[in-house]
Amino acid sequence: MDEIPEAREIPDATLREVVRSVEPEWELREAAPAERGFCSVYRLSVADDEESRELYLKASPDGQTWGLPTEARLQAVLRENTSIPVPEVLGVTDDHDERPTPYYLMRALPGEEVAYERVARLDDDALGRLARETGEYVAQLHAVPAVERFGHVRHDGPELTDEPPGGDPATLTVGDPRDEWPTYLREYASRELDRHADSRFADLTPELERWVESRIDALDGPFDAVLGRNDHGLHNLLLDPETGDITAMVDWGYTLAVPAAFDFEFAVYLYSGAFLAGLPEVSDRRNFVREEMLSGYRATDPDLAEAVAPPEPLYEALAMVRIMNDFHHLDLPDGTESAVMDRIETDLRDLLDC
């Protein structure tokens, strides 16, 4: 994996220049760095003679692209073709001699940032609403006619300087694509299992490798590529934590072209909070989340819903592998790590036995 850099500081003078390059009438009133991932993200308050606005600037921390150009264009495609609440992108600059490119400027959306682990503490009403809305939005995402092969989603449009991207799905493509889903899935699983061998769950890796390979061999197609969010979790949402209403879906830099069932299964596991069921008073709500997500998905796209309805243990296991690989990032109460790890391992072994 690429070494993750530190977010770089952007001077106020540069922030003013970025804002004025997109809209000359806007004045920067206030700027504050936001702690969102490793990119340089700033919340900006701007105003003209008539009104004030809240914006976000998302910029590369080190001059590498980190998927930012594609992320900006993907958000434009989703705003144009779905009702998924993504921020409006006002301007993209892919390359510039003096500014921290690539970067893009977008409008802020309402809602609250909620800790990743909070999903296990949402009551059933809020979690049910979150799951149904997720199902609706994921179904819309999967219906966007943008990709035909499997891999990381990229863009194939012109380079931009201080311009908004277009919303045509045809501008999206797949980098280093694979025609066959099992071929790409083997590559994906190999990368994840290499990471797993360095995780705190490494004792399980050899058994997992054998099981995953056998399950890939047993997959029954045909497989159609769709846009897959894959990076599911409360950390990439803004919402009303009391009701579970999703007000924004943010951070689309890890979008993959995958079968719909793969993306759906990841969402079920990660939004169920099952990986935290080793904590006191936390229940495993996978079945509940699956039914609520299916309800929202089926209401949006009843035909495609049949492709995601049957559970696929292989995809769930790979979602669990992601949690195990990033276990050190979980914010757990002191003294509970062993119990949480034991429960995840037990759940995984139950899958391996099926």
Side-chain angles (χ1 to χ4, degrees):
M1 293 183 65
D2 293 327
E3 185 175 347
I4 303 300
E6 294 287 336
R8 59 178 160 183
E9 183 178 351
I10 303 177
D12 284 354
T14 301
L15 296 174
R16 290 191 186 93
E17 182 182 350
V18 167
V19 169
R20 286 178 177 171
S21 67
V22 172
E23 177 49 67
E25 300 301 319
W26 288 349
E27 291 287 342
L28 179 64
R29 298 293 176 83
E30 186 176 353
E35 294 184 6
R36 288 199 61 84
F38 59 87
C39 288
S40 299
V41 180
Y42 279 77
R43 186 177 181 97
L44 310 177
S45 296
V46 303
D48 56 19
D49 292 337
E50 296 181 358
E51 62 178 318
S52 60
R53 300 165 181 82
E54 299 297 314
L55 310 176
Y56 275 100
L57 174 71
K58 188 169 185 178
S60 169
D62 59 1
Q64 296 188 58
T65 60
W66 296 104
L68 293 179
T70 296
E71 182 177 35
R73 289 160 172 87
L74 179 58
Q75 288 178 194
V77 169
L78 296 182
R79 282 187 63 86
E80 184 74 21
N81 296 274
T82 76
S83 65
I84 299 171
V86 295
E88 178 186 3
V89 178
L90 303 172
V92 179
T93 297
D94 293 309
D95 189 33
H96 195 281
D97 290 339
E98 299 175 357
R99 301 178 197 164
T101 53
Y103 66 77
Y104 65 94
L105 191 68
M106 57 186 157
R107 293 189 189 275
L109 288 178
E112 182 177 331
E113 295 184 19
V114 178
Y116 188 79
E117 298 80 9
R118 176 84 175 270
V119 69
R121 304 297 185 183
L122 295 177
D123 62 36
D124 283 350
D125 287 343
L127 183 61
R129 185 183 296 271
L130 172 72
R132 287 191 300 276
E133 289 188 359
T134 297
E136 294 170 7
Y137 294 143
V138 168
Q140 292 183 45
L141 174 67
H142 293 172
V144 175
V147 292
E148 296 181 349
R149 294 188 289 176
F150 304 100
H152 281 267
V153 174
R154 297 290 184 258
H155 76 279
D156 190 24
E159 187 169 284
L160 299 176
T161 301
D162 301 327
E163 300 168 83
D168 185 355
T171 62
L172 300 179
T173 185
V174 177
D176 195 18
R178 297 292 182 264
D179 291 322
E180 302 296 330
W181 169 238
T183 300
Y184 178 74
L185 184 58
R186 281 191 174 88
E187 296 170 356
Y188 171 92
S190 178
R191 291 191 297 270
E192 291 300 303
L193 290 171
D194 283 347
R195 293 183 62 210
H196 193 272
D198 293 326
S199 76
R200 297 173 64 174
F201 299 84
D203 289 348
L204 293 168
T205 307
E207 184 179 358
L208 253 175
E209 289 175 332
R210 293 189 294 270
W211 184 86
V212 166
E213 182 62 28
S214 68
R215 295 296 301 206
I216 293 176
D217 287 339
L219 285 175
D220 187 21
F223 306 103
D224 296 318
V226 303
L227 295 176
R229 179 157 170 75
N230 292 285
D231 199 8
H232 297 284
L234 294 192
H235 64 306
N236 285 334
L237 300 178
L238 299 179
L239 51 81
D240 181 333
E242 299 302 320
T243 66
D245 284 319
I246 298 172
T247 59
M249 286 185 159
V250 298
D251 289 350
W252 291 84
Y254 188 61
T255 301
L256 302 178
V258 295
F262 182 85
D263 193 37
F264 188 89
E265 208 67 55
F266 266 64
V268 168
Y269 183 72
L270 296 173
Y271 285 122
S272 73
F275 56 92
L276 295 169
L279 294 174
E281 301 180 359
V282 172
S283 59
D284 182 343
R285 293 185 282 182
R286 272 174 283 191
N287 290 337
F288 172 68
V289 167
R290 170 176 288 281
E291 289 306 312
E292 296 297 327
M293 272 190 60
L294 268 176
S295 174
Y297 199 108
R298 187 173 286 117
T300 303
D301 195 328
D303 294 331
L304 193 53
E306 299 311 309
V308 304
E312 174 46 67
L314 172 59
Y315 302 158
E316 181 179 9
L318 290 173
M320 297 172 74
V321 166
R322 177 179 295 178
I323 289 291
M324 289 185 280
N325 289 349
D326 294 329
F327 187 83
H328 56 289
H329 290 307
L330 292 179
D331 185 9
L332 302 174
D334 290 344
T336 63
E337 286 191 359
S338 293
V340 174
M341 289 180 64
D342 289 347
R343 176 57 186 266
I344 293 173
E345 181 172 344
T346 297
D347 286 347
L348 179 63
R349 289 194 177 281
D350 287 344
L351 268 185
L352 300 185
D353 290 338
C354 72

